[in-house]
Amino acid sequence: MNFIVQTSYLLAAVLFILGLKAMSSPKTARRGIVWAGVGMVLATLVTFVHPAVHGVTNYTLIIIAIAVSGVLAWWSGRRVAMTGMPQMVALYNGMGGGAAAAIAAVEMLRALRTLPEDLQTQAQALAESAGLSLAAAEAALLAEGAEPASIATALGGDVAILGILGALIGTVAFSGSLVAWAKLDGRMQRNRLVPGQQFVNVAVFALAVLFGVMTYFTDSLAVVVAFFAFGLLFGVFMAVPIGGADMPVVISLFNALTGLAVGFEGYVLGNPAMIIAGTVVGAAGTLLTQLMAKAMNRSLANVLFSGFGAAPQSSAEGPEGEMKDVSPEDAGYMLAYAERVVIVPGYGMAVAQAQHKIWELVELLQDKGVEVKFAIHPVAGRMPGHMNVLLAEAGVPYDMIFDMEDINEEFATTDVAVVIGANDVVNPAAEEEPDSPIYGMPILKVKDAENVLVIKRGRGAGFSGVENKLFFADNTRMVFGDGQKVAAGMVQAVKNL
């Protein structure tokens, strides 16, 4: 039976890897999700015949957990809007980190229950029975190879170390992801909990590490509880100061942490599927975090500790010029008479739920012979791939969607670039103003297009709080209003021609 279990775990791990590989492309992402799902079902079902699982109580608890979590996931998955996907990802990611931390907690509690009497108690008994002093009895026990009782002696040194590391990372990912969910969902607006937040963060992290080291050597439940408490507190303190502009990177980072925590706890349980899947997710999440930080020309430390985008950037002088607006009808006429159009979507399009109207507009333009493409910035939206999913939901073919490095050179030969709901990722200040907070961040070169239409609700700055020079450029026209209504106005204008 053990051979069947281990083989099934290995097969599940292979399915996880193949699924993750397929998720790297929008064309194969759906297939990847199915493969990974099949792997998870296999890993779950084979647990019922695992030699270590026995007793009616354990089987009952497993079935109840699967039923409750399955129903909740199915219910929430069907209800969530595409604009709410980043929040859901943050929430589910937190659950993964919490589960890994819970595994570590259970193993530590089990170890504490099975610890032999501590060395002092044994020495006391020996001193009374043999007529020795307490010091002589303790020395005799140590000479015979007795060790002070601790979690490390109960679990083994390697298991204890990885269990503690997994617990620390898992608790941080759990509480940090919950804060990210609250901020993305608009339930938390605060960017500081205490004065000198960053210094407090360092102190809390140091305490979490200190109690983690103490947990290795201890037989005290209080030390273990303090370790988990400081880990949870650090996750909260770490996520609170981070601004909205950095949330895609932070979500990716917490995803990587959750993967690593699951991998470590897989070693604790001796579960190869957890080890392989957790390691793959941790490695992929780490790589994605680095790529996204690079796409913003920021270091990970700067993302975590600068509070970028948490508050509007002060600026004594705004961009020169003034915004020039046009009506949706005039914007529609401009598009209808263009030869090449590039559309740049951002999170504002998702909020307005305008992707379906935009696709209707594109189909009308294509009927008139206009060549239309979509340009996606690496950090567009609030999580990696968010814009791709939104466009796919509206029916946009994948071959019309281009990454930044593949389309940037084409803006110079584009008649009209349409920016809907995007801001910082098209701001020329990132290339032209060394003093700008976003200087050095790669951008979509929308400014090079012959004409630019910007669909926007108001005149405010983006997530970074930096004024956008593009909006004041001579070749830019602002189309103010709700994205969906503006797109509908453009559609009607094109139909009337």
Side-chain angles (χ1 to χ4, degrees):
M1 188 58 71
N2 189 54
F3 174 77
I4 295 174
V5 171
Q6 299 304 321
T7 303
S8 299
Y9 281 155
L10 181 60
L11 180 58
V14 171
L15 288 170
F16 292 155
I17 294 173
L18 293 175
L20 191 60
K21 175 68 174 61
M23 289 180 206
S24 62
S25 168
K27 295 180 180 178
T28 56
R30 187 182 184 87
R31 186 174 63 207
I33 291 172
V34 172
W35 284 355
V38 171
M40 184 58 71
V41 170
L42 176 62
T44 304
L45 290 179
V46 79
T47 302
F48 283 92
V49 296
H50 194 289
V53 179
H54 47 75
V56 176
T57 301
N58 284 333
Y59 286 117
T60 303
L61 290 175
I62 292 174
I63 292 172
I64 291 175
I66 292 174
V68 172
S69 58
V71 169
L72 285 175
W74 178 266
W75 174 78
S76 59
R78 290 183 63 85
R79 284 171 55 89
V80 66
M82 289 309 299
T83 50
M85 286 302 292
Q87 294 92 308
M88 173 169 263
V89 170
L91 192 61
Y92 280 14
N93 186 59
M95 296 301 105
I103 291 172
V106 169
E107 290 301 306
M108 290 179 191
L109 292 176
R110 183 178 64 80
L112 289 176
R113 284 201 307 270
T114 57
L115 283 176
E117 291 181 333
D118 61 43
L119 189 62
Q120 193 167 22
T121 303
Q122 295 180 59
Q124 183 85 34
L126 180 62
E128 293 176 358
S129 62
L132 300 174
S133 66
L134 185 60
E138 188 169 325
L141 288 172
L142 290 174
E144 293 175 358
E147 296 181 0
S150 69
I151 285 180
T153 57
L155 294 179
D158 55 340
V159 173
I161 290 174
L162 292 182
I164 291 170
L165 283 175
L168 178 59
I169 297 172
T171 50
V172 170
F174 173 68
S175 56
S177 295
L178 291 185
V179 172
W181 163 78
K183 298 189 83 168
L184 289 170
D185 206 47
R187 297 170 187 266
M188 174 182 278
Q189 307 295 333
R190 302 184 64 172
N191 296 307
R192 191 178 66 168
L193 293 176
V194 295
Q197 181 77 60
Q198 300 297 359
F199 295 104
V200 175
N201 287 3
V202 173
V204 172
F205 178 70
L207 286 170
V209 172
L210 175 63
F211 275 93
V213 174
M214 292 171 63
T215 297
Y216 181 87
F217 296 101
T218 192
D219 61 347
S220 168
L221 177 62
V223 172
V224 176
V225 171
F227 164 57
F228 277 90
F230 280 115
L232 290 170
L233 191 60
F234 177 68
V236 173
F237 279 22
M238 173 183 171
V240 164
I242 296 174
D246 290 331
M247 271 303 162
V249 184
V250 174
I251 291 175
S252 179
L253 175 63
F254 282 138
N255 182 52
L257 293 179
T258 295
L260 289 176
V262 169
F264 288 155
E265 299 311 327
Y267 185 86
V268 172
L269 295 179
N271 187 314
M274 288 178 63
I275 295 173
I276 297 174
T279 304
V280 169
V281 171
T286 302
L287 181 60
L288 182 60
T289 302
Q290 291 179 334
L291 290 174
M292 295 185 71
K294 183 179 179 182
M296 299 173 70
N297 195 35
R298 313 264 307 284
S299 67
L300 185 57
N302 184 270
V303 169
L304 295 177
F305 303 118
S306 70
F308 187 67
Q313 302 291 317
S314 59
S315 176
E317 296 182 2
E320 294 181 357
E322 61 180 16
M323 296 184 187
K324 298 167 280 293
D325 63 298
V326 296
S327 67
E329 290 73 22
D330 289 339
Y333 297 149
M334 183 185 294
L335 290 171
Y337 288 107
E339 293 184 3
R340 283 181 290 275
V341 171
V342 175
I343 298 176
V344 179
Y347 184 69
M349 184 188 75
V351 173
Q353 287 289 291
Q355 62 269 24
H356 296 280
K357 277 296 175 188
I358 287 294
W359 175 234
E360 183 181 352
L361 174 65
V362 170
E363 288 183 303
L364 289 172
L365 293 175
Q366 288 178 323
D367 290 341
K368 293 183 175 297
V370 180
E371 180 186 353
V372 184
K373 295 180 179 179
F374 288 85
I376 306 294
H377 191 278
V379 295
R382 286 188 168 182
M383 69 176 187
H386 195 193
M387 288 300 104
N388 302 70
V389 175
L390 279 171
L391 294 176
E393 181 201 25
V396 178
Y398 295 125
D399 57 6
M400 290 182 64
I401 302 173
F402 294 84
D403 292 332
M404 178 177 67
E405 59 272 18
D406 297 325
I407 202 169
N408 250 351
E409 298 303 318
E410 295 189 27
F411 281 108
T413 57
T414 297
D415 296 313
V416 185
V418 181
V419 180
I420 175 168
N423 200 327
D424 298 322
V425 298
V426 295
N427 192 342
E431 293 183 333
E432 301 170 357
E433 297 183 1
D435 295 333
S436 172
I438 63 172
Y439 181 72
M441 182 178 83
I443 60 169
L444 289 162
K445 298 182 183 296
V446 171
K447 62 182 177 58
D448 293 340
E450 184 174 348
N451 297 283
V452 179
L453 294 172
V454 178
I455 301 173
K456 199 170 185 300
R457 282 181 178 272
R459 299 172 184 269
F463 264 135
S464 68
V466 179
E467 286 284 0
N468 196 330
K469 292 181 63 177
L470 178 72
F471 300 165
F472 300 85
D474 292 337
N475 62 337
T476 298
R477 296 294 180 272
M478 306 296 292
V479 193
F480 291 114
D482 174 79
Q484 187 175 158
K485 293 179 179 177
V486 168
M490 291 179 171
V491 167
Q492 193 58 49
V494 176
K495 285 182 177 178
N496 291 339
L497 287 175

